[in-house]
Amino acid sequence: MIWTLKLITLAFLLLLGGQYNTFALQDVTADLFGPGNFGTVAAFGDFNSDKQTDIFTIKEQSDLVIFLADSKPPYFKPKVQAKNILGKDITSVVPGDYDGDSQMDVLLTAKNGPKTEVFIFWGHNQTLGTALIVIYLQIAVTPEVQFYVVFKFFGCFITLASLRTEVCSKALSLTGNMRTPHSNAFIDLDRDFTAGNKASQQPCVQSEFVALRCNVLCMFLADGDGYQDHLLPACLDTSCQRSTIYLAKSGSRDSKWIPVLSDFKRKETIWGFVPDNLSQPPALHLGDYNLDGFPDALVVLQNKSGSGQQAFLLENVPCNSETCHSVGRMFHIHWDQSDLGAIKNAVRATFFDIYEDGILDMLVQSKAEGKQDLRIHALKNNFEADAYFVKVMVLSGLCSNDCPEGPFGVNQPGPYVMYTTVDSNGYLKNASAGQLSQSAYFSLQLPYTVLGLGRSANFLDHLFVGIPRQPGETEIRNKEWTAIIPNSQLIVMPFPHDTPRSWSAKLYLTPSNSVLLTAIALIGVCVFILVIIGILHWQEKKADDREKRQEAHRFHFDAM
Ligand SMILES: *[C@@H]1O[C@H](CO)[C@@H](O)[C@H](O)[C@H]1NC(C)=O
Ligand SMILES: *[C@@H]1O[C@H](CO)[C@@H](O)[C@H](O)[C@H]1NC(C)=O
Ligand SMILES: *[C@@H]1O[C@H](CO)[C@@H](O)[C@H](O)[C@H]1NC(C)=O
Ligand SMILES: *[C@@H]1O[C@H](CO)[C@@H](O)[C@H](O)[C@H]1NC(C)=O
């Protein structure tokens, strides 16, 4: 008996020990795409309104192929294919609902000499539709989509009314021309739950005095104060021999650019960003892969001592050097990630939640020998630790026809999500994120936000969701939800937009691995106890029988 108990204790310990902090990647490309894993991943969005994120790709420069999420492998099937849709090369893809009919439209851009042409395909019943609008712009840009049926091209809002005609009005109080490449974003910097345009608030962002070349800007949460900070990957010379990532805190006017990563040397090899290219500046792709509440990044670096490009994971860790002291965080490069190292000639790497389980996995794209299209690699993040998350998706909350489950809608750019809670040590913890704040230069932002909660399994005290208001409006559009269960997915439907009180949210629970293990352990314990009870019962019954027999025997004896 004691021996069995020991064995069970051992099994228990193994179970508990097994789920402790392991980080490994697993190549699941075949599972996801089958043999069709070629093409440039251009954007993510829910094209067929099934709440699963679909992948928009460009094949052979001019074909648009949309991989729709499916429940059977391969999990992404190229269901929508438009060959040579523009008659020329596609330079970017931005899905969004531009006419407010709650159907996903697709905006494409193409080059026409020095001009950029913009095409919008009015999505209809999960097809690309036929009607299109063509706008010629004088400058070469990629658009940033805005909330509602409005999007903006440098100082000009182009409003697409339901008639699908464009109206141009001045929106930004910006002097001077925008740079190319630009680093525009549409995000809430001062926590008033209204996305503002970055460039209008801090002109230093297109910072010539920081870097020789202008690079793409990212936003992330550095120090847990709930504000979005600015991140700038920069090259200090034209060939990026010396690369640095800078951070500037938002909020203060005189914010300085502080280096959070400048040591790119590994043994004898010096690494650096891939030199700036007007159509493809260096970019960081952000995501919280270890759910600690601090966004990490994926970046592609070039071997400056020789040749070759590789994707690296940058982990957001507490600052341990003098230079980053004032911001408290820095990046640490995972040099020995063998699964990322195995992908030669990587071009782009981004986070993506492959199985919609709240853990961010990775998509890496690489140049393939003898092929024009990029090869797509899907790496599943087998990160297992007792860390928790909450995944929030804010939809447009617009619906014009057949919405059986209420006014759903498609993914929207511009919403802002923030939580405040008490962590396991009793300290206040804040985190925030913007949804779809950038869309240019293949920024590959996800149409949802995954906020890591660290190791606190408590209910999330307060979760705030805000959407941008229309220009001129003063009322803040935000709503608070309390006591959110960790490891859940919240789908927020802000309908109607101007009455936050009546917004609704659907909560989906993701049974995590530890829940499953706990269930198995519980069932095991129950079975074990049942067996013990059974054995004891049987023994007692046996003893009873023996006693009865003895009594009967005694009776016989007495009778004689
Ligand atoms: C949408 O498309 C599906 C299949 O292509 C078709 O069965 C359905 O009738 C269409 N619905 C509308 C409203 O056009
Ligand atoms: C988190 O936000 C709350 C409310 O906005 C604020 O009172 C608190 O000081 C913040 N905590 C930290 C650590 O910044
Ligand atoms: C810049 O990008 C374009 C298109 O992707 C490519 O043709 C060109 O060779 C690149 N230039 C450099 C210097 O890498
Ligand atoms: C970088 O390139 C040099 C020269 O080709 C090579 O010796 C070195 O091993 C490379 N470094 C890595 C980490 O691949």
Side-chain angles (χ1 to χ4, degrees):
M1 176 68 81
I2 287 185
W3 186 78
T4 336
L5 252 177
K6 266 190 183 156
L7 206 74
I8 288 212
T9 322
L10 194 76
F12 242 93
L13 284 179
L14 276 179
L15 260 180
L16 287 178
Q19 57 164 314
Y20 220 80
N21 243 344
T22 49
F23 172 57
L25 297 174
Q26 179 194 353
D27 195 321
V28 290
T29 312
D31 216 17
L32 247 63
F33 298 101
N37 63 327
F38 286 92
T40 302
V41 174
F44 301 117
D46 180 8
F47 186 65
N48 53 355
S49 309
D50 62 351
K51 312 289 161 297
Q52 308 257 10
T53 308
D54 309 314
I55 303 178
F56 293 69
T57 65
I58 303 169
K59 282 201 181 177
E60 305 196 338
Q61 321 280 6
S62 58
D63 301 347
L64 177 71
V65 178
I66 308 176
F67 286 83
L68 298 185
D70 199 78
S71 54
K72 285 193 270 318
Y75 293 107
F76 288 93
K77 299 197 173 74
K79 290 243 176 87
V80 181
Q81 309 203 21
K83 273 219 170 295
N84 203 3
I85 185 168
L86 303 181
K88 56 185 83 166
D89 290 0
I90 302 171
T91 51
S92 73
V93 180
V94 190
D97 180 8
Y98 297 98
D99 55 358
D101 65 353
S102 85
Q103 306 258 349
M104 179 76 92
D105 309 315
V106 181
L107 182 150
L108 303 175
T109 64
K111 273 224 150 56
N112 183 0
K115 289 183 184 170
T116 294
E117 284 178 322
V118 180
F119 299 80
I120 301 177
F121 288 81
W122 305 112
H124 177 67
N125 193 20
Q126 290 147 45
T127 61
L128 280 173
T130 47
L132 79 161
I133 187 169
V134 186
I135 304 160
Y136 292 97
L137 294 171
Q138 294 304 320
I139 36 171
V141 295
T142 355
E144 291 298 337
V145 195
Q146 291 202 346
F147 201 65
Y148 289 82
V149 289
V150 178
F151 65 103
K152 165 203 81 219
F153 296 96
F154 300 109
C156 172
F157 273 111
I158 295 173
T159 314
L160 296 157
S162 50
L163 289 169
R164 296 176 175 176
T165 52
E166 74 274 26
V167 181
C168 190
S169 60
K170 182 122 181 93
L172 293 177
S173 53
L174 204 73
T175 53
N177 282 334
M178 283 278 180
R179 302 179 55 122
T180 310
H182 69 87
S183 51
N184 257 5
F186 185 56
I187 197 164
D188 176 18
L189 292 176
D190 46 10
R191 288 218 308 217
D192 64 354
F193 293 95
T194 295
N197 186 276
K198 163 99 231 27
S200 64
Q201 294 179 3
Q202 266 186 340
C204 71
V205 152
Q206 318 257 355
S207 49
E208 237 157 332
F209 35 84
V210 170
L212 208 70
R213 298 197 149 209
C214 180
N215 303 285
V216 163
L217 167 92
C218 302
M219 315 279 171
F220 89 135
L221 177 85
D223 45 11
D225 64 357
Y227 284 95
Q228 299 288 309
D229 303 323
H230 316 304
L231 212 53
L232 185 80
C235 297
L236 303 184
D237 49 47
T238 43
S239 58
C240 294
Q241 293 285 337
R242 287 184 302 135
S243 306
T244 306
I245 298 176
Y246 289 99
L247 182 144
K249 292 181 82 69
S250 61
S252 59
R253 280 268 147 207
D254 55 334
S255 52
K256 287 199 193 67
W257 291 98
I258 312 235
V260 286
L261 178 69
S262 45
D263 181 16
F264 285 84
K265 196 158 181 282
R266 164 75 169 166
K267 291 181 187 145
E268 293 309 302
T269 310
I270 293 175
W271 294 85
F273 293 124
V274 183
D276 198 335
N277 188 330
L278 285 191
S279 61
Q280 205 42 246
L284 297 176
H285 294 276
L286 303 177
D288 191 357
Y289 89 99
N290 55 1
L291 303 178
D292 63 352
F294 297 99
D296 311 293
L298 276 173
V299 71
V300 170
L301 299 177
Q302 205 172 39
N303 180 347
K304 298 291 176 191
S305 317
S307 60
Q309 285 176 203
Q310 193 184 318
F312 288 100
L313 177 71
L314 309 184
E315 190 182 345
N316 186 335
V317 295
C319 172
N320 65 6
S321 83
E322 206 48 49
T323 49
C324 55
H325 185 70
S326 62
V327 290
R329 307 293 301 184
M330 60 178 254
F331 280 123
H332 163 74
I333 307 182
H334 281 235
W335 293 112
D336 298 317
Q337 227 321 310
S338 55
D339 302 272
L340 286 176
I343 300 171
K344 300 277 174 261
N345 292 321
V347 174
R348 207 171 290 126
T350 189
F351 290 103
F352 181 66
D353 184 2
I354 293 175
Y355 297 101
E356 306 273 350
D357 58 358
I359 310 266
L360 289 175
D361 311 294
M362 300 172 192
L363 288 187
V364 181
Q365 293 188 264
S366 67
K367 275 203 196 82
E369 294 265 322
K371 276 226 174 200
Q372 208 186 11
D373 283 332
L374 298 178
R375 187 195 292 270
I376 309 170
H377 307 260
L379 300 172
K380 183 177 173 351
N381 180 359
N382 283 332
F383 177 78
E384 276 178 18
D386 39 1
Y388 299 84
F389 66 87
V390 60
K391 183 170 164 180
V392 184
M393 185 191 272
V394 186
L395 300 177
S396 60
L398 289 165
C399 193
S400 57
N401 53 23
D402 69 295
C403 301
E405 294 178 76
F408 275 97
V410 302
N411 319 117
Q412 279 301 327
Y416 186 71
V417 180
M418 187 183 93
Y419 74 71
T420 67
T421 191
V422 177
D423 71 6
S424 43
N425 299 326
Y427 294 112
L428 255 186
K429 191 177 160 117
N430 292 347
S432 66
Q435 180 178 301
L436 285 175
S437 58
Q438 288 179 311
S439 55
Y441 307 115
F442 299 105
S443 50
L444 294 179
Q445 292 199 344
L446 294 166
Y448 44 80
T449 49
V450 176
L451 294 168
L453 304 178
R455 293 189 160 200
S456 119
N458 296 334
F459 280 95
L460 200 59
D461 296 337
H462 307 276
L463 182 87
F464 303 88
V465 174
I467 61 168
R469 54 195 170 198
Q470 275 177 332
E473 203 180 291
T474 50
E475 200 93 345
I476 287 176
R477 297 177 170 183
N478 82 322
K479 179 161 175 166
E480 176 185 350
W481 277 272
T482 50
I484 302 288
I485 305 168
N487 284 11
S488 61
Q489 184 179 358
L490 197 70
I491 296 186
V492 177
M493 283 151 288
F495 175 82
H497 289 154
D498 51 1
T499 21
R501 259 177 304 116
S502 50
W503 293 359
S504 56
K506 278 187 191 291
L507 192 77
Y508 295 90
L509 287 184
T510 318
S512 77
N513 228 353
S514 53
V515 171
L516 219 71
L517 287 178
T518 313
I520 292 173
L522 259 177
I523 292 172
V525 169
C526 286
V527 169
F528 178 65
I529 291 175
L530 276 180
V531 168
I532 291 183
I533 290 175
I535 291 172
L536 289 179
H537 193 79
W538 181 69
Q539 277 184 346
E540 200 173 297
K541 215 173 150 224
K542 232 170 71 175
D544 260 9
D545 281 354
R546 203 182 307 128
E547 212 163 281
K548 262 195 205 136
R549 236 180 292 127
Q550 267 173 6
E551 216 142 280
H553 198 75
R554 209 180 305 136
F555 178 75
H556 276 292
F557 194 76
D558 286 351
M560 290 208 341

